[in-house]
């Protein structure tokens, strides 16, 4: 294995990291060759029956990335930016050793929409790394979170501070506050779960049977707050945006792309669609999503450094492409957290500004109708939601007035729960969905 002076330790071996952050670093490797100076060491921090680590190690940590353009054209490249994959073991001794090495300047990770509830795992690992760095006299460290949540770096910092405080570890907390940074970031690339069909395409195109292949759309974006304590790759040379504030970019992405994605998943499930592109091509559903973005979101984002109209159109074009074959079932996952993170902020802001909810109310109502159908056993798709409380589902779906019960759940709506304006908007949206054939019961 070639040695590099600078290491990014990435916690996780998911397809998104291998299609996104590793792809950016691969670009730098190909531009700078042996002089790039940076590599990724990756590791899972919990047992995973689908862990690709053994396969990656057998392949020298190289794998094939398939990118698909909206017109269906496909391209293939070999990613070698990951130089080592650490096998999972109880105690994670090697992960902590790599994380505490002075050559490791960045620890990156992805915490999903529901993942903060299981945050003890990520915070426990980060704490162990920080303790080891402090004890060993290693240099400063950047903790880089790459997920779909607002202020992701700030969230991790606050959670880690709380974790250390509860553990009574004031020494590590003080060290962290001086020597660690937590830049916010915005990531964007649709990356479906790998399938046997992907592996077959890679074999046909390259002649190589790659069980670790990853597929994604050609589009990619990465906006990063430029706050690094111990150096970083020159990601801006390969298309990343290093900025003083991520906020306007992440708000545009979360409120337009992520919220629309959930709209297409909920409505698609109700309409019987298997793929997201089928939902987008369903004019009833596309009209709902377009109206939501144009009539509800734009008011909340102007002024913006992002060309919002162009971004909306690009998102819809990306979702409409059948080349990526992203499934409704995949996007449904963790919908309760997605509602709270992607859509409720727009509802909250519009209520605070006394703006109408006509174009935003149909989206949460779609989720309610999907939830009721799923609870009644009438939904064939496998809906996985780590944050969703079964008691909440029963309270809502078995209530005499499910809509009122839904609008009263603080776990979904926060301080907006029981707001009469919210309930009225949801009731007003129901005839609209019923006329489209997207409302049950």
């Amino acid at each position: 294995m070639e040695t590099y002076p600078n290491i990014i330790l990435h916690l996780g071996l998911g397809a998104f990291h291998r299609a996104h952050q590793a792809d950016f670093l691969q670009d730098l490797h190909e531009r700078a060759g042996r002089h790039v100076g940076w590599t990724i060491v990756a590791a899972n921090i919990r047992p995973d029956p689908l862990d690709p680590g053994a396969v990656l190690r057998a392949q020298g940590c190289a794998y094939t990335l398939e990118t698909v353009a909206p017109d269906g054209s496909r391209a293939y490249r070999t990613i070698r930016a990951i130089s080592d994959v650490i096998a999972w073991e109880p105690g994670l001794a090697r992960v902590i050793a790599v994380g505490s090495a002075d050559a490791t300047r960045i620890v990156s990770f992805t915490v999903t929409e529901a993942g903060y509830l299981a945050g003890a795992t990520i915070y426990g690992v980060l704490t162990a790394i920080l303790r080891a760095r402090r004890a060993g006299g290693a240099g400063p460290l950047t903790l880089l979170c790459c997920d779909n949540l607002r202020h992701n770096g700030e969230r991790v910092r606050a959670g880690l501070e709380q974790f250390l405080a509860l553990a009574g570890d004031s020494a590590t907390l003080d060290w962290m506050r001086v020597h660690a940074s937590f830049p916010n970031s915005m990531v964007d690339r649709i990356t479906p779960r790998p399938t046997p069909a992907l592996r077959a395409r890679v074999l046909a195109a390259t002649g190589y049977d790659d069980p670790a292949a990853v597929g994604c759309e050609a589009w990619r974006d990465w906006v990063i707050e430029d706050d690094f304590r111990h150096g970083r790759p020159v990601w801006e040379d390969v298309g990343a945006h290093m900025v003083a504030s991520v906020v306007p970019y992440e708000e545009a992405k979360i409120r337009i792309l992520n919220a629309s994605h959930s709209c297409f998943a909920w409505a698609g499930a109700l309409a019987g669609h298997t793929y997201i592109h089928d939902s987008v091509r369903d004019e009833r559903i596309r009209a709902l999503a377009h109206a939501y973005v144009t009539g509800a979101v734009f008011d909340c984002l102007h002024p913006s450094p992002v060309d919002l109209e162009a971004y909306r159109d690009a998102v819809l074009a990306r979702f409409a492409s059948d080349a990526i074959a992203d499934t409704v079932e995949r996007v449904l996952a963790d919908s309760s957290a997605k509602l709270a993170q992607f859509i409720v902020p727009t509802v909250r802001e519009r209520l605070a500004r006394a703006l109408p909810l006509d174009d935003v109310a149909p989206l949460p109502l779609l989720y309610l109708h999907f939830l009721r159908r799923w609870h009644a056993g009438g939904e064939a798709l496998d809906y996985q939601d780590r944050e969703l409380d079964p008691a909440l589902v029963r309270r809502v779906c078995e209530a005499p007035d499910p809509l009122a019960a839904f609008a009263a759940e603080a776990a979904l709506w926060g301080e907006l729960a029981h707001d009469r304006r919210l309930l009225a908007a949801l009731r007003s949206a129901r005839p609209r969905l019923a006329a489209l054939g997207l409302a049950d019961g």
Side-chain angles (χ1 to χ4, degrees), residues 249-265:
Y249 302 91
E250 71 181 0
E251 286 299 319
K253 192 257 182 172
I254 287 171
R255 297 200 195 202
I256 295 175
L257 183 143
N258 293 111
S260 296
H261 221 186
S262 289
C263 173
F264 288 123

Side-chain angles (χ1 to χ4, degrees), residues 360-401:
V360 69
L363 271 66
L365 192 56
L366 285 169
Y367 176 54
L368 172 61
H369 286 303
F370 165 76
L371 196 65
R372 293 182 65 198
R373 183 187 289 184
W374 176 70
H375 179 65
E379 180 53 62
L381 295 174
D382 181 20
Y383 174 43
Q384 301 290 330
D385 196 322
R386 292 166 292 173
E387 186 169 335
L388 187 60
D389 183 354
L392 182 154
V393 178
R394 291 192 296 272
R395 285 196 303 270
V396 170
C397 296
E398 298 173 12
D401 185 347

